[in-house]
Amino acid sequence: MKLLKKLFFSAAFALTFFVNAENNLSLIDKAAASGMIFYWDTLSESGILEKGGHQLSFRIDEPLMMLDSTALVIVDAPSMENGVVKVSQDFLTTAEQYFKESEDGNGFKIGAILIDPGHGGKDPGAAGNFKVNGKNVKVQEKDVVLSIGKTLSQKLKEAYPSKQILMTRSNDTYLKLSERTDIANGVKLAPNEAIIYVSIHANASLDKKSSGYEVWYLSPGYRRTVLDKSQTEEDKSLFPILNSMMEEEYTAESILIAKFIMDGLEPQIGKDSKARGIKAEEWFVVKNSKMPSVLIEVGFVTNEKEALNLNNPAYLQRVSTGIYNGISAFVTHFERSRGFTSKND
């Protein structure tokens, strides 16, 4: 998840030079025999090898292997034969050697979590107006999500005192959408640290019966620049490949965050609100963020029953707890799967 900190200078040579190696080894078989976990994405024809909390990323017909998202090394280009990923002995040896050398290395950790309560100030977001016991009740999205965001932020600060727990706004302030992602992209991180971006919103619909909570991530169909071009100045032709590899990793992590948050919300509010699932869309509020990002819709302010729940501080506490549990589960997974266990976990 970290942006590349260095590139092996020889990697530029790899785009114009393919080793004519004999790919006669089934990667899935050899990986299992070596204790590696093999993940494969058929759509992008890319794979990940994982062992001991470290990862190697690669693509079919490309002679580059990404090491823990921090460096590149030249390898014999993998190939696909009859639906089986085939590699050379040199490819396999390189992977095994890296995992062996990484056994005592430092892992990744989540260094910062940015909570983004949507709307604010002159932008109230969605709103619902209801009459309860003869009194007018107005439920505004900007108020609902700020309450959730502040409680969530406090929970995270208490659980992770060594991490940066940030908010795009902590009061009724108006921020442009671009300002929110600028804040996210401007967070300073230490080496081997990553940041995740969680935007909180409430939904609305012309259908007053619409209800439920959902989590969105950026559609893989939207292509964005997540890598600093200066990091490939040795060979500009490297940039599209590296950027795409990083972008795919961000998407995978975003989907995982969304799943954990949905799982966290279900035991907290599942009896009062239905789960609408995980969805993909080109949300502007997250599409320019150079990190794993999700957008949570906590319910419909246009549905009277749900709106009144969202106007209830006790209910919002449960929503915050659900989101917190999801984020916490992701942090634990991320840090432990990369060989790092936070002292706070």
Side-chain angles (χ1 to χ4, degrees):
M1 291 173 61
K2 288 290 293 172
L3 293 181
L4 298 179
K5 293 299 183 184
K6 62 178 179 178
L7 296 175
F8 291 163
F9 293 133
S10 57
F13 188 56
L15 291 182
T16 55
F17 178 75
F18 285 74
V19 178
N20 292 319
E22 183 179 2
N23 288 344
N24 57 4
L25 303 177
S26 168
L27 182 56
I28 190 170
D29 294 335
K30 292 298 182 180
S34 298
M36 306 176 198
I37 300 175
F38 177 34
Y39 301 97
W40 178 249
D41 183 351
T42 303
L43 186 62
S44 64
E45 291 196 318
S46 63
I48 294 175
L49 292 174
E50 182 176 285
K51 184 178 181 180
H54 296 273
Q55 292 185 340
L56 302 179
S57 305
F58 63 91
R59 279 183 174 177
I60 294 298
D61 295 331
E62 291 182 1
L64 296 174
M65 181 185 287
M66 184 179 291
L67 313 177
D68 273 334
S69 301
T70 61
L72 290 176
V73 65
I74 297 174
V75 293
D76 297 334
S79 60
M80 177 70 74
E81 299 178 20
N82 299 319
V84 177
V85 179
K86 292 293 189 72
V87 298
S88 68
Q89 182 59 54
D90 180 68
F91 179 101
L92 190 63
T93 300
T94 299
E96 291 174 335
Q97 181 177 355
Y98 178 72
F99 285 131
K100 182 178 180 180
E101 294 174 349
S102 299
E103 287 180 356
D104 297 325
N106 294 324
F108 286 104
K109 69 175 182 178
I110 300 296
I113 301 170
L114 179 62
I115 306 302
D116 173 39
H119 306 279
K122 65 181 182 180
D123 175 16
N129 294 280
F130 309 96
K131 188 175 290 291
V132 179
N133 297 325
K135 295 183 179 181
N136 292 323
V137 177
K138 185 174 185 178
V139 183
Q140 295 189 116
E141 179 179 4
K142 69 172 183 176
D143 300 325
V144 169
V145 298
L146 179 59
S147 177
I148 294 171
K150 291 170 72 173
T151 303
L152 174 60
S153 176
Q154 185 59 39
K155 288 178 180 290
L156 290 168
K157 286 179 179 179
E158 292 173 358
Y160 303 107
S162 63
K163 302 184 188 302
Q164 298 183 68
I165 308 302
L166 310 169
M167 295 183 69
T168 55
R169 69 180 182 96
S170 56
N171 50 38
D172 191 16
T173 302
Y174 172 74
L175 289 173
K176 296 179 180 178
L177 295 178
S178 58
E179 291 178 304
R180 298 173 191 269
T181 48
D182 285 346
I183 291 172
N185 295 332
V187 175
K188 302 299 182 183
L189 298 169
N192 288 349
E193 284 189 343
I195 177 175
I196 60 175
Y197 179 32
V198 179
S199 190
I200 306 173
H201 289 253
N203 225 329
S205 174
L206 293 176
D207 181 357
K208 304 303 181 182
K209 295 181 180 180
S210 294
S211 65
Y213 57 94
E214 57 198 24
V215 184
W216 294 78
Y217 66 93
L218 186 63
S219 169
Y222 176 80
R223 312 315 281 175
R224 56 181 167 169
T225 299
V226 297
L227 185 65
D228 184 350
K229 290 186 177 182
S230 67
Q231 293 173 313
T232 57
E233 56 190 11
E234 292 298 317
D235 187 337
K236 298 300 183 183
S237 58
L238 276 173
F239 181 80
I241 294 176
L242 300 182
N243 187 75
S244 181
M245 292 176 77
M246 291 300 297
E247 186 181 33
E248 288 167 6
E249 184 170 353
Y250 285 167
T251 297
E253 299 290 1
S254 297
I255 294 172
L256 195 56
I257 296 170
K259 179 184 182 303
F260 278 126
I261 290 176
M262 287 294 294
D263 290 346
L265 285 169
E266 198 281 330
Q268 294 296 322
I269 62 173
K271 293 182 179 180
D272 299 296
S273 182
K274 67 179 181 181
R276 294 168 61 91
I278 300 171
K279 303 179 181 182
E281 183 57 87
E282 296 177 11
W283 291 95
F284 182 86
V285 70
V286 300
K287 77 178 184 181
N288 290 324
S289 57
K290 300 177 181 180
M291 65 205 66
S293 314
V294 295
L295 187 149
I296 307 166
E297 295 279 9
V298 296
F300 283 74
V301 297
T302 47
N303 177 295
E304 182 172 358
K305 179 182 177 181
E306 197 152 75
L308 295 180
N309 278 336
L310 293 172
N311 199 46
N312 183 334
Y315 185 83
L316 296 186
Q317 282 278 347
R318 288 158 53 197
V319 174
S320 300
T321 298
I323 298 173
Y324 163 78
N325 288 341
I327 293 175
S328 179
F330 173 79
V331 170
T332 299
H333 168 84
F334 178 80
E335 294 182 342
R336 288 181 179 172
S337 69
R338 284 158 173 78
F340 179 94
T341 301
S342 170
K343 64 182 179 181
N344 301 308
D345 291 330

